């Protein structure tokens, strides 16, 4: 299958409720969507890169550049992601966006749902929610209560130094039945081990990414003797990094994001490694619009995704998620993939287009060889 057109579209969507993580507060979210065409069929992918390089070094602008100048030309030139991606250093989120569009296209042309192509068997898929940093402790307790009341099977709450022991204690006290995971997005350092042990001791199910992505040794030091598992997110950008982290004992759960690891194929490889080595996995999200949300749901059907994944209904996050059919609860707290083909949905004009470009082999004739 040789694609004959790649369309990049940068869009901005309005959030239904503002969201704050350890770095910033959001009212809107900007994304890059990718469409790959061949013989009249189209596959769709969504880039997880954000406007700011805080979660990861990539941004929507770096992703756009790498997609336009290197990855799309490589694909249009007949290179497969497996062949071309290792040549481009890093830029996993850009790679994953176009690679997932190719997966979707393959599934659509085969007339099969994407989840089936990936090897997914789990039905239905239990959903988890993420609650951001709120202006007050009462507000965060109310937000977790709403998610729990809506049926979400697990709740991750964002923490940062100065917003941790008090809000986590308040949530645990008010809602002791909630499977709660504080997510630090790498906000703590080598001097914070005792502090993190106190947070974990509050009856949390796990503690997610306490240290910066590179600090897998200190994560292993905390995990030793800690009664709850550490969940790794930013620390795992490839199968190799997953293997190293598991070998070191840096964590016992991996939050798997195809965007963070360069695509669905690498995500499946990490999933299989975790399954074979007793490491629990689930699919994490980065405020995906509809295309990314349905792609995540397909990945979340893999057999080792034994914890609830971030695949809940889009209306919790967006006024319009930009596809013709939003993810909805099948019954409270669980969702199901569509019968396809592919991810089963088509992008709409429900989100604002900021920029769009169509690339074809002809339009690239004068370009330099994008990938050696
Ligand atoms: Mg996380």
């Amino acid at each position: 299958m040789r694609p004959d057109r790649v369309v990049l579209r940068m869009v901005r969507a309005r959030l239904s409720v503002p969201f704050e993580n350890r770095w910033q507060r959001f009212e809107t979210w900007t994304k890059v969507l990718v469409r790959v065409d061949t013989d009249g069929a189209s596959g769709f992918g969504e880039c997880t890169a954000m406007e700011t390089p805080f979660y990861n070094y990539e941004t929507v602008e770096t992703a756009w550049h790498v997609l336009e100048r290197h990855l799309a030309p490589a694909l249009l030139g007949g290179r497969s992601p497996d062949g071309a991606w290792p040549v481009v250093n890093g830029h996993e989120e850009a790679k994953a966006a176009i690679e997932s569009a190719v997966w979707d296209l393959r599934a659509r042309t085969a007339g099969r749902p994407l989840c089936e192509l990936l090897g997914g068997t789990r039905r239905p898929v239990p959903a988890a929610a993420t609650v951001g940093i709120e202006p007050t402790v009462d507000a965060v307790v109310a937000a977790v209560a709403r998610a729990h009341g809506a049926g979400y099977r697990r709740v991750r709450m964002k923490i940062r130094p100065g917003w941790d022991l008090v809000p986590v204690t308040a949530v645990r006290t008010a809602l002791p039945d909630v499977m709660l995971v504080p997510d630090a997005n790498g906000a703590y350092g080598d001097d914070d081990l005792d502090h993190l042990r106190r947070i974990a001791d509050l009856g949390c199910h796990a503690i997610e990414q306490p240290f910066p992505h590179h600090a897998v040794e200190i994560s292993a030091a905390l995990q030793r003797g800690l009664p709850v598992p550490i969940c790794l997110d930013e620390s795992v950008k490839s199968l190799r990094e997953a293997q190293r982290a598991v070998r070191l004992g840096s964590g016992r759960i991996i939050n798997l994001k195809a965007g963070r690891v360069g695509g669905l194929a690498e995500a499946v490889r990490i999933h299989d490694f975790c399954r074979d080595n007793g490491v629990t996995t689930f699919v994490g999200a980065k405020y995906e619009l509809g295309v990314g949300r349905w792609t995540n749901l397909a990945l979340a059907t893999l057999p080792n995704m034994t914890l609830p994944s971030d695949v809940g209904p889009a209306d919790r996050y967006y006024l319009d998620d930009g596809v013709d059919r939003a993810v909805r609860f099948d019954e409270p707290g669980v969702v199901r993939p569509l019968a396809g083909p592919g991810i089963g949905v088509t992008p709409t004009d429900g989100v604002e287009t900021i920029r769009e470009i169509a690339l074809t082999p002809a339009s690239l004739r004068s370009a330099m060889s994008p990938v050696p």
Side-chain angles (χ1 to χ4, degrees):
M1 179 194 67
R2 183 163 177 161
D4 49 43
R5 197 158 107 121
V6 174
V7 180
L8 306 180
R9 181 181 168 214
M10 192 179 288
V11 299
R12 184 181 293 126
R14 184 150 291 281
L15 300 187
S16 47
V17 180
F19 172 72
E20 185 171 335
N21 60 16
R22 67 173 275 226
W23 301 287
Q24 62 191 127
R25 190 169 177 83
F26 299 86
E27 310 257 342
T28 61
W29 208 286
T30 304
K31 296 273 189 185
V32 176
L33 301 177
V34 182
R35 192 180 103 204
V36 176
D37 296 345
T38 189
D39 294 333
S42 300
F44 302 96
E46 178 177 324
C47 186
T48 53
M50 301 164 74
E51 285 183 85
T52 48
F54 303 147
Y55 170 87
N56 185 18
Y57 68 89
E58 293 183 78
T59 68
V60 286
E61 294 294 348
T62 68
W64 184 278
H65 172 79
V66 171
L67 284 161
E68 181 187 0
R69 298 291 294 274
H70 302 288
L71 302 177
L75 203 65
L76 291 166
R79 303 286 296 272
S80 74
D82 275 351
W85 277 205
V87 183
V88 175
N89 230 325
H91 298 283
E92 290 82 8
E93 296 188 289
K95 289 173 177 172
I98 191 166
E99 190 248 26
S100 59
V102 170
W103 271 96
D104 185 42
L105 180 59
R106 276 189 207 134
R108 285 177 197 257
T109 50
R112 296 167 64 194
L114 176 62
C115 55
E116 204 179 283
L117 232 64
L118 293 172
T121 52
R122 188 171 284 276
R123 308 281 192 285
V125 177
T130 300
V131 168
I133 291 167
E134 295 285 340
T136 65
V137 170
D138 285 349
V140 81
V141 171
V144 176
R146 273 196 303 278
H148 185 55
Y152 286 93
R153 305 298 168 91
R154 189 172 57 117
V155 179
R156 300 216 306 291
M157 61 178 285
K158 298 292 184 183
I159 60 168
R160 65 183 169 203
W163 179 266
D164 45 27
L165 283 170
V166 172
V168 174
T169 301
V171 171
R172 292 297 306 150
T173 305
L175 303 158
D177 296 337
V178 173
M179 189 193 250
L180 187 71
V181 179
D183 181 2
N185 286 114
Y188 296 88
D190 297 12
D191 297 334
D192 295 320
L193 268 70
D194 284 340
H195 187 68
L196 288 161
R197 288 187 188 105
R198 288 173 66 201
I199 298 171
D201 272 352
L202 294 172
C204 300
H205 175 259
I207 184 162
E208 182 163 321
Q209 196 66 42
F211 304 107
H213 66 94
H214 53 77
V216 284
E217 289 86 359
I218 191 73
S219 189
L222 177 64
Q223 181 67 92
R224 281 193 289 279
L226 198 71
V228 303
I230 291 174
C231 172
L232 298 174
D233 179 351
E234 288 93 325
S235 287
V236 176
K237 292 188 291 298
S238 64
L239 173 61
R240 192 176 286 267
E241 288 190 352
Q243 291 167 330
R244 176 163 181 259
V246 169
R247 193 172 62 243
L248 286 170
S250 308
R252 299 203 294 265
I253 300 173
I254 290 182
N255 170 343
L256 202 41
K257 292 174 177 162
R260 202 190 57 232
V261 303
L264 289 166
E266 187 76 347
V268 172
R269 286 190 282 269
I270 295 171
H271 163 275
D272 293 352
F273 166 76
C274 290
R275 178 199 59 203
D276 297 342
N277 288 274
V279 176
T280 310
T281 51
F282 67 93
V283 174
K286 282 175 75 180
Y287 265 69
E288 271 78 346
L289 292 168
V291 168
R293 196 162 289 274
W294 285 107
T295 306
N296 285 346
L297 179 50
L299 185 62
T301 63
L302 292 183
N304 193 57
M305 302 293 187
T306 51
L307 283 172
S309 288
D310 295 350
V311 291
D315 60 4
R316 174 179 166 76
Y317 306 98
Y318 289 105
L319 295 176
D320 189 317
D321 71 340
V323 294
D324 58 359
R325 180 164 172 180
V327 174
R328 293 191 198 96
F329 277 150
D330 212 46
E331 55 190 89
V334 301
V335 293
R336 287 176 193 275
L338 299 174
I343 55 173
V345 297
T346 304
T348 65
D349 293 329
V351 288
E352 176 195 0
T353 298
I354 303 172
R355 192 190 302 165
E356 190 166 33
I357 186 172
L359 303 162
T360 64
S363 74
L364 299 169
R365 263 201 303 265
S366 59
M368 282 173 22
S369 175
V371 173

